[in-house]
Amino acid sequence: MHHFQILRQIKECSKFQLPIQGKKLHAHVVKSGLDLHGPLYPNTLVDMYGKCGHLKDAVQLFDEMPSRDLASWASIFTAHNQANLPKHTLILFSGMTSSDGLQPDHFIFASLVKACASLNALKPGLQLHAQFVVSPFSDDDVVKSSLVDFYAKCGLPDIASRVFDSIVSKNVVSWTSLVYGYARMGKKSEALELLRDMPLKNLHSWTALISGFVQGGHCVDSFKLFNELRRGGVDIEEPFVLSSLIVGSATLAMLELGKQVHRLVIGLGYESSSYVSNTLIDMYAKCSDILAAEKIFSNMKNRDIVSWTSIIIGMAQHGRAVEALSLYDEMTLTGLKPNEVTFTGLMYACSHVGLVDKGRRLFKSMVVDYGLKPSLQHYTCLVDLYSRSGHLEEAENVLNSMPFKPDEAAWAALLSACSQAGKNKTGVRIANHLLQLGPEDPSTCILMSNIYARAAMWDSVSTVRKLMLTLESKKKPGYSCVDLGKENEVFYAGETTHPMKNEIFGLLKELDAEMRKRGYVPDTSLVLHDMEQQEKERQLFWHSERLAVAYGLLKSAPGTSIRILKNLRVCGDCHTVLKFISSIVSREIVVRDANRFHHFKDGVCSCRDFW
């Protein structure tokens, strides 16, 4: 076989992802001794293995090469980028200059900048840009296009725009990256103007704009743009734009909207896409329909780690910890390896059912069996697990010994446990520490104030209340959004201007009277303002989640579930009230707050009163 024929066939294996044929050609190259004549054949083989997803083979071949040139390094960088290991790409780069004494060319710069874009690694990206500017390749438009994408993903669209303006031959990729950058940062007029000015718009351009708006929190705008796209007759020839809309539905917690996008997915024939199915699992879980998420997962033929992790986290957040852990066992039997996110969901599941030994074993397995490095979030989950189960000393030991500076959430988890267990002495010590840190979450201040009050430390109570007043002036207002299918309604705490305020007030008064008959006593310790008891009770009465529930009961069909999204943590008194209401009206009330999901049914909450 002629040399050029072999090279062409290896490149075809790369293009069509044919690793078995590629391995046979590799064997032929070795037997023929062609790999001994410089790096040409090894470079092509490294590239083939990388593009076929066989990173281990690519690395082994790369390491065995007696001499490596820039093409060798470009191939191994691309292999790591394609394997979603951009951090390894940047680590390898230092070896290129130190061991082989090579300086980057335009191909190397493009690969390295792409790695920085994937990691949102601003500092190394800036260093590479500076190096590129003084290199002989400073006019290369491909590298500049990569830099536009890098700055856009790092949230610096104006710098991306300056690089974009220096590109001589602007292509759809650089245009699209810039559109995405402005959309993600909420600069709607600039993003829209860029899209209108694009000489050649395609589905990728629209997808960049729509996904940018979704990731920037402008989800309603993304749906308006999608309608415009459809009116313009753009063919949906790939499903990524639909996945962005599914994510938008999840962010808005609008179940009916998500169902509409799901119907469109089916209508366009993309229900077999694992990428789309994964986002659907996440959407249904976040929109409080965990049964629908479970159904999507069950119907999937090809499940990847994202599929399993999405359903495990969904189950854990909805209080179905046993199912989450069972799914993990099932996943490991398939040979799939869990990632860091999987373990976050598993630790969360263990903490909510008190499986301390299981949680310990999982934390150890993460490090020993899978070589994963626990993050601050994993340690916080471990603290939460010990705290919920009454192992307060172990929880505090973790906080004091972990390789991260504990954040407010970690200390607050332990403080909450001390409050629940009546451990005032330990609670006061932790509250003092939090006071030194300077808490920023009002719910932490409430916990601290209650701990100090129980210890009769009134000066400390006064200090915390003053701090609370300062925080309240800065914090975003609490709201609750009730999803009624074809409509949703947003309520703010203390709102008295709603057109149905009289009906809402009347229903809440009826429910309040019935709750008091059943033993409800308002917990006014959660109101830190200096006011009379009756005024404190009135403050609690007008909390946004109560208004949303009352409106939902008035507007929804009898027997249906009430679904509510709340931007802050549900307060303790409202949590008690919602348990009472679920029992009185015989309805399920599902609340997604800033921490988790609460399923209130028959007077009980799925969180077991610890959130």
Side-chain angles (χ1 to χ4, degrees), residues 196-239:
R196 307 278 185 253
D197 291 344
M198 277 183 74
L200 291 170
K201 286 187 281 288
N202 59 18
L203 179 61
H204 291 286
S205 317
W206 285 97
T207 301
L209 184 61
I210 288 167
S211 65
F213 277 146
V214 169
Q215 290 177 34
H218 303 277
C219 300
V220 174
D221 291 307
S222 69
F223 282 94
K224 290 176 182 175
L225 281 165
F226 181 72
N227 288 334
E228 188 178 333
L229 176 155
R230 296 285 279 172
R231 284 195 299 270
V234 178
D235 287 333
I236 312 298
E237 53 199 25
E238 57 182 34

Side-chain angles (χ1 to χ4, degrees), residues 43-55:
N43 288 349
T44 312
L45 286 164
V46 168
D47 184 65
M48 181 274 295
Y49 282 127
K51 286 176 179 170
C52 289
H54 286 235
L55 180 63

Side-chain angles (χ1 to χ4, degrees), residues 430-480:
I430 292 162
N432 288 341
H433 181 73
L434 276 164
L435 201 57
Q436 287 181 330
L437 289 176
E440 296 179 0
D441 187 339
S443 62
T444 304
C445 292
I446 291 170
L447 284 170
M448 292 166 64
S449 176
N450 289 343
I451 285 283
Y452 285 137
R454 285 175 193 163
M457 297 173 64
W458 304 115
D459 288 344
S460 296
V461 170
S462 176
T463 301
V464 173
R465 290 190 176 187
K466 287 174 184 174
L467 177 63
M468 182 76 174
L469 290 172
T470 306
L471 289 175
E472 284 201 340
S473 65
K474 297 177 183 176
K475 76 171 185 177
K476 54 188 175 184
Y479 70 80
S480 296

Side-chain angles (χ1 to χ4, degrees), residues 538-567:
R538 198 188 76 80
Q539 285 260 325
L540 293 170
F541 186 88
W542 288 103
H543 275 192
S544 65
E545 50 267 63
R546 303 192 197 192
L547 301 174
V549 166
Y551 183 80
L553 290 170
L554 290 166
K555 296 285 284 184
S556 62
T560 56
S561 297
I562 307 293
R563 302 179 190 276
I564 292 167
L565 167 68
K566 182 172 174 62
N567 67 327

Side-chain angles (χ1 to χ4, degrees), residues 386-551:
Y386 287 142
S387 299
R388 285 173 182 273
S389 306
H391 297 245
L392 303 185
E393 191 175 328
E394 283 184 82
E396 192 169 4
N397 286 340
V398 171
L399 282 173
N400 290 325
S401 63
M402 67 188 197
F404 300 97
K405 184 180 178 182
D407 61 5
E408 181 182 331
W411 286 109
L414 182 55
L415 184 62
S416 179
C418 291
S419 179
Q420 294 257 337
K423 302 282 186 180
N424 286 350
K425 189 175 178 181
T426 306
V428 166
R429 182 158 44 78
I430 292 162
N432 288 341
H433 181 73
L434 276 164
L435 201 57
Q436 287 181 330
L437 289 176
E440 296 179 0
D441 187 339
S443 62
T444 304
C445 292
I446 291 170
L447 284 170
M448 292 166 64
S449 176
N450 289 343
I451 285 283
Y452 285 137
R454 285 175 193 163
M457 297 173 64
W458 304 115
D459 288 344
S460 296
V461 170
S462 176
T463 301
V464 173
R465 290 190 176 187
K466 287 174 184 174
L467 177 63
M468 182 76 174
L469 290 172
T470 306
L471 289 175
E472 284 201 340
S473 65
K474 297 177 183 176
K475 76 171 185 177
K476 54 188 175 184
Y479 70 80
S480 296
C481 176
V482 57
D483 182 8
L484 297 170
K486 291 186 178 179
E487 67 162 305
N488 64 341
E489 194 80 8
V490 176
F491 291 89
Y492 290 89
E495 185 171 327
T496 56
T497 58
H498 195 275
M500 288 182 64
K501 67 176 187 292
N502 292 332
E503 293 93 328
I504 291 169
F505 179 74
L507 178 56
L508 285 175
K509 285 292 285 182
E510 285 178 32
L511 291 168
D512 186 69
E514 181 58 33
M515 286 191 299
R516 288 176 189 266
K517 286 179 189 175
R518 299 187 183 199
Y520 165 64
V521 178
D523 182 3
T524 55
S525 67
L526 302 166
V527 182
L528 296 188
H529 297 284
D530 187 16
M531 54 181 66
E532 296 295 325
Q533 176 71 16
Q534 191 174 358
E535 180 58 23
K536 287 184 177 183
E537 290 184 17
R538 198 188 76 80
Q539 285 260 325
L540 293 170
F541 186 88
W542 288 103
H543 275 192
S544 65
E545 50 267 63
R546 303 192 197 192
L547 301 174
V549 166
Y551 183 80

